[in-house]
Amino acid sequence: MHVKLIPLQVRGSDRSAFVDFLSGEEFPFHVRTNPSRELVEGNIDQGVYDDEDHAPYWVEHVEKGRIGTVALEDLTDDTPLFDLRLAAKFRGSGLGLEAVKAITAHVFSTMPTVNRLEGQTREDNIAMRKTFLRAGFLKEAHYRQSWPVENGAPLASVAYAILRRDWETGTTTTFAWEDLAA
């Protein structure tokens, strides 16, 4: 695998680079598309990125170097989530798939009690939705009008998850939807 996760010290040696990255990029499919320096620095000072429920990492490619960040979230729950942010110049090149696979491997290799990993994205983020499926995740939910959009109407949030057993076997466990409307 060409992508690896490197622990990110947001309150230490990586603070400046982390602030520069988050405030210097546009993230069109995130709730905050252009976070300000002040917002990111305030979040660092409040422990938003590195408390018991959150763990930040650099996403690094062996040849291309640092390509983004990922925050593992809800770490005290049975099903952690992740927030992946790639630098604009690396989007659309297949590195998202490598990153999601690296995140999945990291979670299941280092967190023995976790049996399910989840990610969510906006309904219009087709590239990420395809990436989830290619990485072995299964669409589990479509939450209508639940994703806040700056200066716009809310969009649907689409949830995907992968099970440890599916990651271990390289399969995707599917299920039949019941039609209760009949």
Side-chain angles (χ1 to χ4, degrees), residues 150-170:
E150 289 177 336
N151 304 314
L155 295 173
S157 176
V158 187
Y160 294 81
I162 189 169
L163 303 176
R164 175 183 292 277
R165 70 174 182 236
D166 289 352
W167 172 74
E168 290 173 341
T169 62

Side-chain angles (χ1 to χ4, degrees), residues 1 3-5 57-59 69-73 80-86 95-111 117-119 128 131-132 135 137 162 167:
M1 187 170 294
V3 172
K4 58 185 176 179
L5 306 184
Y57 294 87
W58 292 116
V59 179
T69 65
V70 65
L72 300 181
E73 302 175 343
L81 295 141
F82 67 89
D83 177 14
L84 175 63
R85 295 171 186 254
L86 294 181
L95 293 174
L97 177 58
E98 286 190 57
V100 171
K101 286 181 176 183
I103 293 162
T104 305
H106 174 81
V107 167
F108 290 138
S109 297
T110 64
M111 301 175 187
L117 175 63
E118 185 177 324
M128 188 63 193
T131 296
F132 277 126
F137 284 63
I162 189 169
W167 172 74

Side-chain angles (χ1 to χ4, degrees), residues 19-39:
V19 171
D20 288 346
F21 177 75
L22 283 187
S23 65
E25 292 278 341
E26 181 178 0
F27 301 101
F29 296 107
H30 283 75
V31 173
R32 296 222 192 281
T33 59
N34 298 97
S36 68
R37 294 187 71 76
E38 295 76 22
L39 176 68

Side-chain angles (χ1 to χ4, degrees), residues 121-165:
T121 192
R122 283 176 21 172
E123 66 183 315
D124 60 341
N125 191 350
I126 304 303
M128 188 63 193
R129 292 178 66 187
K130 288 180 178 182
T131 296
F132 277 126
L133 296 174
R134 288 181 184 127
F137 284 63
L138 181 69
K139 179 183 170 187
E140 293 186 344
H142 201 100
Y143 303 105
R144 298 175 299 156
Q145 296 183 354
S146 66
W147 193 288
V149 176
E150 289 177 336
N151 304 314
L155 295 173
S157 176
V158 187
Y160 294 81
I162 189 169
L163 303 176
R164 175 183 292 277
R165 70 174 182 236

